[in-house]
Amino acid sequence: MKNTKILVLGSNGKTGRRVAERLEKIENVEIRLGSRNEKIPFDWEKPETWEKVLQDIDAAYITFQPDLAIPSAADIIQNFTLLATKAGVQKIVLLSGRSEKEAQVCEEIVKTNAKNWTIVRASWFNQNFSESIFLDPVLAGIVALPRAEALEPFVDADDIADVVTASLLNEKHNGQTYELTGPRLLTFEQIVNEISNATGRNITFQGLSLNEYVQMLREYQIPEDFIWLVNYLFEQVLDGRNSSITSDVEKVLGRKAKDFSAYAKETAETGIWDI
């Protein structure tokens, strides 16, 4: 039986790494990891790396860095997906942002250019608190963030990876757009309390204005392009537009989405939040 060759872009990222781990366990699936440090390197900013990484690929999982919201994303996605289809890629799965108009422009590009496609939309990940920007504040014992009142259905990266893997392997997901959420709406303060309870540590939450948060990032000498992106996400995505829950995880996987409390308990047991 012919192997299916799948390209996983962003293979060092929160979802890409998990998708690759799942695909590695599946018979007759061959994986090509897409990152700058692989034997066949891939770099979104270097189109000369694209053709080789797409050679002999049947399906591709696209995670775009740093985010589909940046101004150059649409042109890059346009050029890459055209090249992928020309190279013979039969299926593209795109990780997109929930209720992000810039991301939806990229979705339409994928729908137009890909032979077959699935769109997987998500916004804030549980793992932002253990593998990303909010880990250091958790370790410091004080998480200071804007939009304290915003309700968000934080979704687990394992659920996203399971949906993406199913979408890559099963044709019944062709032409589908899935919006993935967790099972509850939570504020940042509630999230911090969940982590505090799971770890037995005293972790406090402090609400800030968006201007205060940006100023704090500048004081920590965070790069301006990252500050722009964070400001966009807090201003545009956390305005209440995503304060709703879907059943798409269960629709695809036949099980409930992972609750944040389960994620917090599992993560606390790894020791990542210990000090």
Side-chain angles (χ1 to χ4, degrees), residues 14 127-137:
K14 289 186 286 293
Q127 282 73 14
N128 287 336
F129 295 89
S130 55
E131 301 176 21
S132 190
I133 57 174
F134 303 141
L135 174 58
D136 285 345

Side-chain angles (χ1 to χ4, degrees), residues 23 46 54 72 77 86 95 118 123 128 130 144 158 179 183 210 222 236 253 272:
L23 293 173
K46 296 180 179 178
L54 286 166
S72 61
I77 293 296
K86 183 180 178 181
L95 180 65
T118 304
S123 51
N128 287 336
S130 55
D158 285 324
E179 289 206 7
L210 192 52
I222 303 298
Q236 300 293 326
L253 303 178
I272 189 69

Side-chain angles (χ1 to χ4, degrees), residues 73-274:
D75 285 342
I76 294 172
I77 293 296
Q78 168 78 0
N79 293 333
F80 181 81
T81 53
L82 281 173
L83 183 63
T85 299
K86 183 180 178 181
V89 175
Q90 299 297 308
K91 174 71 178 284
I92 291 175
V93 177
L94 175 71
L95 180 65
S96 185
R98 191 174 180 226
S99 299
E100 293 180 31
K101 61 182 181 180
E102 294 86 355
Q104 289 168 12
V105 170
C106 295
E107 291 176 14
E108 293 305 314
I109 291 169
V110 170
K111 292 177 184 180
T112 299
N113 293 342
K115 289 186 176 179
N116 296 289
W117 54 266
T118 304
I119 306 298
V120 177
R121 293 176 179 165
S123 51
W124 294 85
F125 296 2
N126 295 343
Q127 282 73 14
N128 287 336
F129 295 89
S130 55
E131 301 176 21
S132 190
I133 57 174
F134 303 141
L135 174 58
D136 285 345
V138 169
L139 293 175
I142 180 165
V143 180
L145 293 170
R147 297 291 196 187
E149 76 291 347
L151 288 166
E152 176 70 18
F154 291 84
V155 64
D156 199 85
D158 285 324
D159 286 344
I160 298 171
D162 285 340
V163 170
V164 168
T165 301
S167 299
L168 285 165
L169 296 174
N170 196 318
E171 292 184 358
K172 73 179 182 180
H173 301 295
N174 289 0
Q176 298 296 313
T177 297
Y178 298 122
E179 289 206 7
L180 307 187
T181 74
R184 282 191 293 158
L185 293 170
L186 295 164
T187 65
F188 282 119
E189 185 170 11
Q190 290 171 324
I191 289 288
V192 170
N193 289 337
E194 293 263 2
I195 297 172
S196 185
N197 292 335
T199 59
R201 292 177 50 215
N202 182 24
I203 306 170
T204 59
F205 175 81
Q206 179 183 351
L208 300 175
S209 70
L210 192 52
N211 286 338
E212 288 171 333
Y213 185 60
V214 168
Q215 183 58 38
M216 184 182 74
L217 294 179
R218 290 199 172 110
E219 289 173 1
Y220 282 100
Q221 298 184 319
I222 303 298
E224 282 297 322
D225 56 349
F226 184 79
I227 291 175
W228 176 89
L229 178 58
V230 168
N231 188 69
Y232 166 85
L233 292 173
F234 276 104
E235 189 174 52
Q236 300 293 326
V237 181
L238 273 173
D239 63 354
R241 71 182 69 181
N242 286 327
S243 296
S244 61
I245 293 165
T246 76
S247 59
D248 281 2
V249 169
E250 186 173 7
K251 178 181 177 181
V252 176
L253 303 178
R255 61 166 177 78
K256 299 287 187 181
K258 183 185 290 187
D259 188 79
F260 191 91
S261 60
Y263 153 79
K265 182 176 183 295
E266 293 170 6
T267 304
E269 290 171 353
T270 69
I272 189 69
W273 289 325
D274 292 348

